[in-house]
Amino acid sequence: MESGPSALTDAFARKTDAELLYLTQHPHSFAPPLVEAAWAELHRRGQVPPSEPLPKPVPAPVPALHRSMALTLALALLNMLVYLLMVAAGVDAFQPSGAALVAWGSNYSSLVLAGQWWRLLTSCALHGGLWHLLLNSYALLVIGALLEPLVGRGRLLLAYVLSGLGGAAASLWWHLPAGVNSVGASGAIFGLYGFMLAFAARSSSRLSRSERSALLVHTLYMVGSSFAVANQPGIDQAAHVGGLLTGALFGSILILGGLVKKLPGITR
């Protein structure tokens, strides 16, 4: 089989002007030798002035990070940074001890009830090992990619923080009087699920019926899957339920109160 520059030249000599122009107008979609051969053939046919130099191949542009997920990514990176700081300080990367988690700010009942209420918030940025972090990061990115473009960064941040606090408070209450030593962002993430459910169920002015139905089904599937995965010993389901209810309540208040358009953030 004939190959090389001469074969390419012969092949392009049989192409129409329209085909050659298409190649030259879409250089990122074809190999540079093909684009150069198309230009050369157009030169030969007089379709391009001979004095005009052949264009140099330009690399395809790298897509920029979509700004609509900026906060979601920032929250995921924050959790990762805290985890890396813990590991760098000597905490076990896969099975951190209870004492280490307490030292870093876990939701430890006796200390919280003694006045260290800030642990309800700091515990949301801690994780019980690498797999715990990766699972929560994946869930956060999935729901954040859906929710942040719809409700904006300001509302997403409020929902995340309030749901994290609500989940931690629910865990604290549920495990009384025995107590709990709980960590993780899952309460806040379940709160985003709840916010999405409230938004999809009530925001008829922003979404069509088919869009609302699709979001409801998808979010319910994520909630069910998350509960199923987390249905094992050592998983704090009280925090999940508390976060879910907090997020749903927060979203309902915003929508029913007409505050959806008043808070800052990116809206669709």
Side-chain angles (χ1 to χ4, degrees):
M1 180 180 293
E2 185 181 6
S3 61
S6 60
L8 190 60
T9 301
D10 293 341
F12 274 68
R14 294 190 291 271
K15 290 187 177 294
T16 65
D17 290 349
E19 291 175 314
L20 296 173
L21 286 171
Y22 183 85
L23 282 167
T24 59
Q25 291 168 358
H26 300 82
H28 297 148
S29 302
F30 302 96
L34 297 179
V35 178
E36 292 174 2
W39 275 105
E41 179 60 23
L42 287 173
H43 273 297
R44 189 187 69 79
R45 297 181 187 183
Q47 298 294 332
V48 180
S51 59
E52 183 175 329
L54 295 178
K56 296 181 179 180
V58 179
V62 178
L65 181 65
H66 203 296
R67 292 184 178 181
S68 64
M69 275 191 66
L71 178 65
T72 300
L73 291 170
L75 292 172
L77 289 174
L78 173 63
N79 293 335
M80 178 66 73
L81 176 61
V82 172
Y83 169 79
L84 292 176
L85 289 174
M86 292 173 62
V87 173
V91 177
D92 190 285
F94 296 96
Q95 291 185 327
S97 66
L101 294 175
V102 171
W104 279 82
S106 66
N107 182 16
Y108 188 56
S109 297
S110 60
L111 293 180
V112 174
L113 295 175
Q116 296 184 14
W117 298 103
W118 48 267
R119 289 179 174 272
L120 296 177
L121 182 60
T122 56
S123 62
C124 300
L126 305 177
H127 287 84
L130 179 61
W131 307 125
H132 187 201
L133 172 68
L134 293 178
L135 184 62
N136 275 352
S137 297
Y138 173 76
L140 173 59
L141 292 173
V142 171
I143 185 61
L146 289 173
L147 188 58
E148 187 172 344
L150 291 173
V151 303
R153 288 192 291 267
R155 291 178 284 280
L156 185 80
L157 180 60
L158 280 174
Y160 186 87
V161 172
L162 292 176
S163 299
L165 291 172
S171 173
L172 180 69
W173 170 78
W174 181 259
H175 291 97
L176 290 175
V180 69
N181 185 19
S182 179
V183 295
S186 53
I189 295 168
F190 269 83
L192 298 186
Y193 291 155
F195 192 8
M196 175 65 88
L197 290 174
F199 183 85
R202 297 185 174 275
S203 188
S204 57
S205 62
R206 300 283 305 280
L207 301 171
S208 66
R209 177 177 294 183
S210 60
E211 289 175 324
R212 291 166 60 197
S213 298
L215 280 177
L216 281 171
V217 170
H218 186 68
T219 306
L220 286 172
Y221 173 78
M222 288 191 293
V223 172
S225 299
S226 297
F227 272 122
V229 170
N231 188 25
Q232 51 186 304
I235 302 300
D236 194 351
Q237 294 286 23
H240 297 168
V241 174
L244 181 70
L245 295 178
T246 302
L249 177 62
F250 173 72
S252 298
I253 291 173
L254 283 184
I255 295 167
L256 294 177
L259 300 176
V260 172
K261 297 181 181 180
K262 295 181 181 179
L263 290 177
I266 300 172
T267 55
R268 194 178 68 166

